Amino acid sequence: MKATITAIGGFVPSSILSNEMISRMVETTGEWIVKRTGIKERRLAKDENQGTSDLACAAIENLFETYDIDRSEIDGLVLATATPDHLLTPTASKVCEKSGFTNAFGFDLNAACSGFLYALEMATTMIESGRYEKVVVVGADKMSSIVDYEDRNTCILFGDGAGAVLLEKTESEYGMMKSILRTDGSGTSALLVPAGGSKLPATAQTIADKKHFVNQEGAFVFKRAVESMSNVSRDVLASNELTVDDIDWVVPHQANLRIINAVSETLNIAAEKVKVNIDRYGNTTSATIPLCLWDFAADFKEGQNILITTFGAGFSWGATCLKWGVMRNLRNLQAIKTEKELEHDLVCS
Ligand code: UT7
């Protein structure tokens, strides 16, 4: 019994925060941001009361509008997020209710930028156990809710968005292969939101000290990201008895284009095989990988091998391989972006 992706959806808010706009907010330039990160713009959820659950629901709606599947058949939802709607009550509960998953369990999983990969692995093993057949896996984050737009070290990096996949059981050769997930708590202080949790609950002082925003030692995290993603990718290829030449596409976490390029060069993978959309969305944390799968779904052909790798706060990191399988029938052909539309998007951005 294997698990395979049979449907994909995605959502990014319509409001764009361009480099030019950021350069009017903090001391930076569009040129610096593009050169050091590859980011040209990011999307922000600006609608009043729009939380992570709304982004997740919009991505799920896009999936169900695009592919032919009955919501009542969904067994479970694993929602990867580092920015839940509330500290108490899982965001997944609201998402299950609003998405019409009436016969399903739902829970949140926080592994920061590795959340989607961890969630994919949890859902895969649930399906491989034979106890569940259809699990929706979502990566969704409203990073703008924890970013200080007066801090040039971080505000240039992050954006809001969500991506969703349907994972189903299959007896075919397609689907998820072996994964490797890793955690190292010694990296905790290098990338975190210091206050608002049980360790340092909110007070007037924590607010005054701006401790509810993302704090990052960028250069240190950068080095660990390149090293960890490269090593874990090599290890996961070996454990699946694959070589770099067997890989058709790489879908990496989108934190910094220089990290993506350094990992690709270390692994000796041609740049044409590496999917990149950080220029348009920035780092959407749990959402980068499913948004990338969604953006480039039209390129993936049955039987092709895809390598996914990620690194994030914690530290948490990992990699997996999958053989792209047969997707569910489309409800609406227009909903899947064609290569031409993507080219058009890039020219416009
Ligand atoms: O997704 C979770 C994992 N996160 C990551 O993987 C992010 C990893 N880190 C990074 O992407 C990069 O470290 C950053 C993009 C955050 C920073 O780039 P960097 O090349 O590592 O810059 P740096 O932090 O080493 O800073 C170099 C210089 C500093 O000035 P001095 O000390 O050399 O005078 C910074 O103050 O660049 C300065 N700087 C900026 N200058 C213009 C930092 N941010 C900016 C800015 N605009 N926005």
Side-chain angles (χ1 to χ4, degrees):
M1 187 89 70
K2 290 186 74 170
T4 188
I5 293 173
T6 58
I8 306 191
F11 174 77
V12 286
S14 56
S15 176
I16 292 174
L17 179 64
S18 67
N19 287 351
E20 198 269 321
M21 290 154 91
I22 289 190
S23 67
R24 282 187 262 127
M25 294 155 57
V26 292
E27 203 184 326
T28 190
T29 62
E31 195 190 357
W32 192 96
I33 301 172
V34 172
K35 196 166 157 214
R36 304 294 266 241
T37 70
I39 302 169
K40 292 180 184 161
E41 60 186 37
R42 53 305 278 145
R43 303 298 184 98
L44 300 194
K46 289 272 186 131
D47 290 356
E48 216 172 313
N49 294 327
Q50 196 174 30
T52 293
S53 65
D54 301 293
L55 306 179
C57 286
I60 291 171
E61 276 321 297
N62 177 257
L63 184 152
F64 281 94
E65 278 164 11
T66 310
Y67 296 92
D68 195 9
I69 165 134
D70 185 346
R71 294 160 197 258
S72 65
E73 290 175 27
I74 301 302
D75 296 316
L77 166 75
V78 189
L79 174 65
T81 186
T83 52
D85 283 6
H86 309 283
L87 269 184
L88 183 62
T89 211
T91 305
S93 303
K94 204 22 110 195
V95 177
C96 277
E97 184 215 342
K98 284 170 81 178
S99 302
F101 297 164
T102 46
N103 300 315
F105 65 82
F107 67 92
D108 294 4
L109 183 158
N110 181 356
C113 295
S114 303
F116 181 78
L117 184 63
Y118 276 46
L120 204 56
E121 175 71 349
M122 298 308 116
T124 297
T125 51
M126 282 176 197
I127 289 170
E128 285 174 350
S129 75
R131 294 172 74 161
Y132 304 94
E133 293 192 2
K134 296 182 180 72
V135 181
V136 172
V137 182
V138 177
D141 269 307
K142 184 183 171 184
M143 293 305 291
S144 61
S145 64
I146 54 168
V147 164
D148 176 4
Y149 288 95
E150 291 179 349
D151 175 10
R152 70 176 185 173
N153 291 302
T154 51
C155 76
I156 59 165
L157 298 172
F158 296 99
D160 302 337
V165 302
L166 172 63
L167 210 59
E168 288 193 65
K169 82 163 187 191
T170 177
E171 277 159 31
S172 74
E173 59 179 310
Y174 303 131
M176 304 304 303
M177 302 184 203
K178 285 182 200 156
S179 303
I180 299 176
L181 307 180
R182 292 287 179 265
T183 306
D184 174 8
S186 70
T188 307
S189 60
L191 178 48
L192 90 166
V193 175
S198 60
K199 188 98 174 160
L200 188 57
T203 62
Q205 196 59 48
T206 61
I207 293 169
D209 293 344
K210 293 193 160 199
K211 288 196 182 301
H212 295 268
F213 293 124
V214 176
N215 195 298
Q216 175 173 237
E217 290 171 39
F220 177 62
V221 176
F222 188 105
K223 281 189 206 123
R224 281 294 298 266
V226 173
E227 188 186 298
S228 305
M229 287 166 78
S230 304
N231 290 341
V232 79
S233 295
R234 263 196 219 105
D235 291 348
V236 89
L237 286 174
S239 78
N240 285 298
E241 296 176 10
L242 294 172
T243 68
V244 161
D245 295 337
D246 296 318
I247 294 300
D248 297 288
W249 303 108
V250 182
V251 176
H253 171 51
Q254 314 275 311
N256 186 318
L257 183 58
R258 289 190 295 131
I259 295 178
I260 296 172
N261 290 342
V263 172
S264 314
E265 278 163 29
T266 310
L267 295 174
N268 208 11
I269 290 185
E272 306 81 68
K273 289 186 174 181
V274 183
K275 294 304 190 190
V276 172
N277 61 5
I278 191 171
D279 49 328
R280 285 172 287 142
Y281 305 143
N283 181 351
T284 54
T285 304
S286 310
T288 63
I289 290 168
L291 271 178
C292 217
L293 290 171
W294 175 61
D295 250 356
F296 296 106
D299 291 350
F300 306 146
K301 305 286 175 270
E302 219 176 288
Q304 288 189 328
N305 291 322
I306 300 177
L307 168 68
I308 295 176
T309 182
T310 190
F311 182 87
F315 294 127
S316 59
W317 68 100
T320 194
C321 297
L322 63 96
K323 195 176 277 297
W324 197 251
V326 182
M327 302 295 275
R328 278 192 166 253
N329 290 335
L330 292 178
R331 267 192 222 280
N332 175 2
L333 280 168
Q334 292 305 312
I336 286 276
K337 289 190 175 185
T338 63
E339 276 176 45
K340 281 221 151 28
E341 284 169 325
L342 281 170
E343 261 172 41
H344 175 259
D345 285 353
L346 278 174
V347 170
C348 294
S349 62

